[in-house]
Amino acid sequence: MRYSGLRVFREAMTGHKGWTPAWRDPDPQPSYDVVIVGGGGHGLAAAYYLAKEFGQLRVAVLEKGWIGGGNVGRNTTIIRSNYLLDGNQPFYEFSMKLWEGMEQDFNYNAMVSQRGILNLFHSDAQRDAYTRRGNAMILHGADAELLDREQVRRMYPFLNFDHARFPIKGGLLQRRGGTARHDAVAWGYARGADQRGVDIIQNCQVTGFRIVNGRVTGVETTRGFIGALKVGVAVAGNSSRVMAMAGMRLPIESHVLQAFVSEGLKPVIDGVMTFGAGHFYVSQSDKGGLVFGGDIDGYNSYAQRGNLPVIEDVAEGGMALMPMIGRARLLRTWGGIMDMSMDGSPFIDRTGIDGLYFNGGWCYGGFKATPASGFCFAHLIAKDEPHPTASAYRLDRFRRGAMIDEKGQGAQPNLH
Amino acid sequence: MLIPHPLLGPRDAQEFTYLGDAALIDRPDGLREPEAFHDYLYLRDNPAGVHRELWFHEQGDRSWLVVTRNTVTHEILGAELARDVARGRGRSK
Amino acid sequence: MASHNLKPLSALGRETLAVETIGPVSTAEDADTALASLAIRRGREAEVMERAAQAGLPLPEPGRAESQGDWGAFWVSPGMWMVEAPFATHEDIVAHLKPLFGESASITEQTDAWARFEVAGPLQPLFERLCNLDLERFGPGSATRTMMEHLGVYAIRRAPDRMTLLGGRSSAYSLHHALVTAARSVF
């Protein structure tokens, strides 16, 4: 069924009796050409593009819980392509272009909103760094504008421009950045993949890999063995656990990152904004809640909940940037598990096992990468060679000294 | 989280900075064993469950501790001076 | 002594020491104490303890502070203490300590690295606002380092109603501001 305004109108006239489930609930078949482990944003996107772009007809997505129940449902929904390094920026700009066409492509309203993302700077050195970043973005075909203090003031007059330690000197604005409805991204990809024949199998946990002579032949699951010519793993927050079942140790530590939503307020922040002097960023949801967050808690965790010191730290960042946030009441806080790679950049790569592919290590930045990550993972699985924009995301880059140290920090909490 | 400091009793985790897996105590010779050094530097077991890890009492007595903690529940099961752990493995200092 | 126009300034940059009285609490900047760190050199622990005992200089257990005659000391980390003495008689505190310990310990001048505040009055309501010390377990004779407003601070409980705070001299103003702000919000 194709969704459209006309369809909504027709269903409204006929008592909404014509709607069908957005995707099937199939039992697993004995074998597939490609099995994707992990029904989150990246896994569902990979399955969608495998079917749509790379002609893979027998594809399954295995999800231990329900689709979209992991990090794609727990993030702060920001999309952007404001990176600096060659290994990153072409990939994230590819992702941004996919965001821009995504809803028409998979016929689902993901509420992609290009409301702009503004990175504030507070010193001359930071201005220079953002100038360089903006130039790198433009050279890679993205958009960037350097705003001075007065231009920022026109956008957000309520900010604390004259903070004693961190006065706002300006900002780097990417107008094409913004937000998207995170759950709808998972649902849209799931529906699009399902329509193209992908089996989405929920409540099906992978418990092991069957590996014969260095080649993967399928996966053991709570619903029995499922054979596969190729297996792709995209299980953010569980990467080390799942790949350990294939005998691999990863350059990853799992950490908890907290996020926050205030009570609903009248419209006040119409874009996304990041504080440049502490780790704090904020946007406002369509329901009116201020959505904000900060740094990882800084210790290994699989708990999906954090502790008070980081909440205090985030609150202090918010108070320094926009003191009026102190009047807003916090509605909810929650935590998600970030697979922090050692250089802060992700992996989309083959493994030492033939037919087994790995996608993970997205640190804080997995959501914005969802479309390109899925596309490039599908490319890698289908063609057994990396997509040009994701060619730097190799697992062996530490051995080669080819780290992508965008921020000079990875899992190492004392560098944050 | 409260860390049971072996000398000072329970202390707020805020006073500490975190380094990670306590296996980092056993540093291989990077010139003699480059492969082992790569694994030491970049790879982690990253378990869900009981984890032995290094915490530095930076805003306290500047001791390095080996804390045993459950990464799923955040329950802290014990703490010992990293100095004692290293000596227990035959290191001289 | 050669004549000059230099005036000594306190850690807060003033010509006189800052004294604040806020409700029942007073905070007073103190410049009358000389300070040095003393760290045992490797393998010389027994010798240091023996020399200290001979000199009448207390080297207390972890988490504790003691004084005896002119000398006071508080524990800072395994094998290391801060030693205190009256500034008027021990301005050159390192020169006093070196002969006592010889080569057995490393001794470093610390006096002007720190700003020192004496807080007197009801401590519990003030310090529960400032830091995470549990004063019930931190009775007189206790000493520790902890954080107040992100600043590393040594706290020494002299008496049920008296606490000494040592903060980095370069952030003395921030510590004083935190103290006074907390006291005003409580009392």
Side-chain angles (χ1 to χ4, degrees), chain C residues 95-167:
Chain C
H96 281 81
L97 288 169
K98 278 278 185 195
L100 301 180
F101 290 93
E103 293 299 307
S104 64
S106 297
I107 295 160
T108 307
E109 164 71 40
Q110 297 275 358
T111 309
D112 286 331
W114 301 88
R116 174 184 290 258
F117 298 97
E118 297 292 340
V119 183
L123 300 179
Q124 179 83 32
L126 178 63
F127 282 93
E128 69 186 9
R129 189 67 69 98
L130 272 170
C131 63
N132 52 35
L133 278 183
D134 180 358
L135 288 201
E136 291 293 319
R137 304 166 61 120
F138 193 75
S142 299
T144 192
R145 184 190 179 112
T146 188
M147 270 196 297
M148 294 180 189
E149 293 283 339
H150 304 283
L151 301 168
V153 174
Y154 285 111
I156 305 143
R157 190 156 195 196
R158 308 287 186 190
D161 61 347
R162 280 197 304 120
M163 186 88 86
T164 302
L165 296 183
L166 276 78

Side-chain angles (χ1 to χ4, degrees), chain A residues 79-351:
Chain A
I79 61 176
R80 59 187 173 90
S81 61
N82 53 359
Y83 282 69
L84 173 70
L85 299 181
D86 287 343
N88 275 333
Q89 179 58 17
F91 172 83
Y92 286 103
E93 177 53 24
F94 177 49
S95 202
M96 180 55 77
K97 289 196 168 70
L98 288 172
W99 281 111
E100 287 172 328
M102 166 199 287
E103 292 164 303
Q104 284 69 35
D105 190 49
F106 60 34
N107 178 231
Y108 199 88
N109 181 9
M111 296 167 67
V112 174
S113 166
Q114 293 183 287
R115 54 183 71 183
I117 178 164
L118 177 66
N119 300 119
L120 297 168
F121 55 78
H122 309 267
S123 67
D124 292 344
Q126 227 175 356
R127 178 194 291 121
D128 292 347
Y130 276 148
T131 304
R132 179 174 175 229
R133 176 176 299 249
N135 285 333
M137 290 163 64
I138 291 166
L139 284 171
H140 282 299
D143 63 307
E145 293 168 50
L146 198 73
L147 305 189
D148 65 20
R149 186 181 159 92
E150 291 313 310
Q151 289 169 297
V152 173
R153 199 191 294 274
R154 278 198 288 279
M155 289 177 73
Y156 298 111
F158 53 80
L159 297 181
N160 189 359
F161 285 87
D162 299 310
H163 190 282
R165 285 181 70 191
F166 311 120
I168 293 167
K169 302 269 193 179
L172 182 68
L173 176 66
Q174 183 183 23
R175 290 192 193 274
R176 288 163 63 240
T179 60
R181 171 85 172 91
H182 51 354
D183 301 310
V185 175
W187 299 333
Y189 275 123
R191 178 168 168 274
D194 178 85
Q195 286 177 340
R196 287 163 179 80
V198 173
D199 281 356
I200 296 167
I201 302 162
Q202 304 182 73
N203 300 308
C204 179
Q205 182 171 359
V206 170
T207 56
F209 296 96
R210 191 173 289 182
I211 296 162
V212 180
N213 296 328
R215 172 156 202 99
V216 71
T217 60
V219 290
E220 309 287 350
T221 78
T222 50
R223 295 175 72 171
F225 174 77
I226 300 173
L229 299 178
K230 294 177 176 178
V231 176
V233 177
V235 291
N238 287 293
S239 297
S240 294
R241 281 203 269 189
V242 171
M243 296 315 281
M245 294 192 287
M248 289 177 67
R249 285 177 87 213
L250 299 177
I252 281 176
E253 282 180 12
S254 298
H255 286 253
V256 60
L257 176 70
Q258 301 192 64
F260 310 82
V261 171
S262 79
E263 61 190 333
L265 303 169
K266 290 180 180 177
V268 58
I269 298 172
D270 54 9
V272 182
M273 193 181 351
T274 72
F275 187 35
H279 208 146
F280 176 83
Y281 61 89
V282 60
S283 65
Q284 190 168 19
S285 77
D286 292 340
K287 284 192 288 188
L290 298 180
V291 183
F292 56 97
D295 225 331
I296 52 174
D297 268 38
Y299 44 81
N300 286 39
S301 175
Y302 286 91
Q304 289 194 323
R305 59 185 166 76
N307 276 300
L308 284 170
V310 166
I311 296 178
E312 183 182 11
D313 188 65
V314 170
E316 284 174 346
M319 290 297 288
L321 177 65
M322 42 184 293
M324 71 178 184
I325 201 173
R327 303 297 292 275
R329 278 168 295 194
L330 203 57
L331 201 62
R332 287 185 290 129
T333 79
W334 67 98
I337 303 306
M338 310 293 108
D339 284 340
M340 302 296 292
S341 67
M342 290 295 150
D343 60 358
S345 296
F347 307 100
I348 303 176
D349 202 2
R350 306 177 192 94
T351 65

Side-chain angles (χ1 to χ4, degrees), chain B residues 1-46:
Chain B
M1 292 188 292
L2 286 175
I3 292 177
H5 193 297
L7 299 174
L8 299 172
R11 305 290 296 213
D12 193 315
Q14 251 188 303
E15 293 179 354
F16 293 78
T17 56
Y18 179 84
L19 186 66
D21 196 328
L24 291 170
I25 288 179
D26 298 318
R27 180 181 182 136
D29 182 337
L31 291 176
R32 270 206 331 227
E33 313 168 81
E35 268 308 300
F37 196 75
H38 165 270
D39 293 356
Y40 165 84
L41 197 53
Y42 296 115
L43 303 186
R44 299 286 185 274
D45 286 340
N46 193 24

